[in-house]
Amino acid sequence: DSGVTQTPKHLITATGQRVTLRCSPRSGDLSVYWYQQSLDQGLQFLIQYYNGEERAKGNILERFSAQQFPDLHSELNLSSLELGDSALYFCASSVVAGSGELFFGEGSRLTVL
Amino acid sequence: EDQVTQSPEALRLQEGESSSLNCSYTVSGLRGLFWYRQDPGKGPEFLFTLYSAGEEKEKERLKATLTKKESFLHITAPKPEDSATYLCAVQARSGNTPLVFGKGTRLSVIA
């Protein structure tokens, strides 16, 4: 158990809908990262927050947004969903920003029909 | 652009049959190279960090090595419980850069 909690574990929705994925980092970790994993693309970095502030942005679509709240939990919002958004979405956390030693949650599997 | 290529994509070994996984990388100044293990339906789990060419790290049956262009994950006398996908990632030295992951090697160890 990494100590990172993600909800929901599974989510099935329709194209055009909006969903919110939630992540609670390990106790004491200030940095949160979101990754998308698909079969053909592997793990792709989306966005990073540190203590509530956005620190780095990857190839995150404009339809996606995220935030980190004062209690350090984070949410990833995915809107106007397309079939291609079906993937595993992982949250990870680390004590310091920019660490390469990340602790990953078990992921949220999103299926868009 | 930083890139990581892992080979082979999949590897099937008999229990006790040692082998190596390869991770080739290009990065604009290496801060660190990282190995992770991912079991089906789970998130990646951190294994090793390597910082400079010539460095080696060991953990049970796994040994990771690093050169200026690639890293190897050597698996000695593997057991079925070593079956997993092994991911390699690099982090560039400049600024607050995120990890760039390879697509992984899916290892199956047959008893």
Side-chain angles (χ1 to χ4, degrees):
Chain A
D1 182 4
S2 68
V4 177
T5 304
Q6 288 188 247
T7 57
K9 290 194 184 317
H10 301 278
L11 193 54
I12 301 174
T13 188
T15 54
Q17 295 298 304
R18 173 190 169 95
V19 298
T20 297
L21 310 180
R22 194 178 192 279
C23 169
S24 295
R26 284 189 328 158
S27 176
D29 285 359
L30 298 179
S31 204
V32 168
Y33 311 75
W34 285 98
Y35 281 84
Q36 179 192 59
Q37 187 175 45
S38 59
L39 282 174
D40 55 340
Q41 292 294 318
L43 263 173
Q44 299 289 312
F45 170 72
L46 295 178
I47 198 163
Q48 178 203 353
Y49 283 85
Y50 178 78
N51 204 20
E53 300 284 330
E54 182 184 306
R55 274 297 184 97
K57 213 167 187 175
N59 295 326
I60 186 167
L61 299 171
E62 283 192 14
R63 300 184 285 108
F64 296 2
S65 65
Q67 56 183 324
Q68 186 180 27
F69 294 87
D71 67 353
L72 301 177
H73 92 271
S74 178
E75 292 181 357
L76 179 66
N77 299 296
L78 315 174
S79 61
S80 302
L81 286 168
E82 302 175 0
L83 296 177
D85 297 327
S86 296
L88 263 170
Y89 291 85
F90 285 105
C91 171
S93 71
S94 65
V95 176
V96 296
S99 171
E101 184 177 342
L102 304 183
F103 295 86
F104 283 83
E106 295 203 343
S108 293
R109 181 175 293 280
L110 173 66
T111 302
V112 182
L113 300 176
Chain B
E1 184 182 332
D2 302 336
Q3 278 193 314
V4 176
T5 303
Q6 292 188 245
S7 61
E9 286 187 18
L11 181 61
R12 189 180 169 98
L13 299 173
Q14 292 292 319
E15 185 173 2
E17 180 187 1
S18 302
S19 188
S20 296
L21 313 182
N22 177 266
C23 169
S24 298
Y25 65 91
T26 54
V27 64
S28 51
L30 181 70
R31 175 183 290 176
L33 183 139
F34 306 85
W35 283 97
Y36 283 79
R37 169 190 170 130
Q38 185 174 19
D39 292 301
K42 304 285 186 182
E45 178 186 352
F46 170 78
L47 291 174
F48 302 111
T49 307
L50 300 165
Y51 292 105
S52 57
E55 190 174 358
E56 298 183 353
K57 293 276 180 71
E58 280 189 70
K59 181 179 181 179
E60 296 180 357
R61 295 175 292 283
L62 301 177
K63 183 168 82 171
T65 62
L66 181 65
T67 72
K68 288 189 176 178
K69 292 188 176 183
E70 55 191 352
S71 176
F72 293 93
L73 185 64
H74 307 277
I75 304 177
T76 303
K79 298 183 177 183
E81 53 261 43
D82 295 321
S83 298
T85 296
Y86 290 87
L87 300 169
C88 172
V90 296
Q91 187 178 36
R93 193 179 298 133
S94 58
N96 180 39
T97 52
L99 298 185
V100 175
F101 281 86
K103 293 185 179 181
T105 294
R106 191 171 63 254
L107 174 67
S108 301
V109 182
I110 312 302

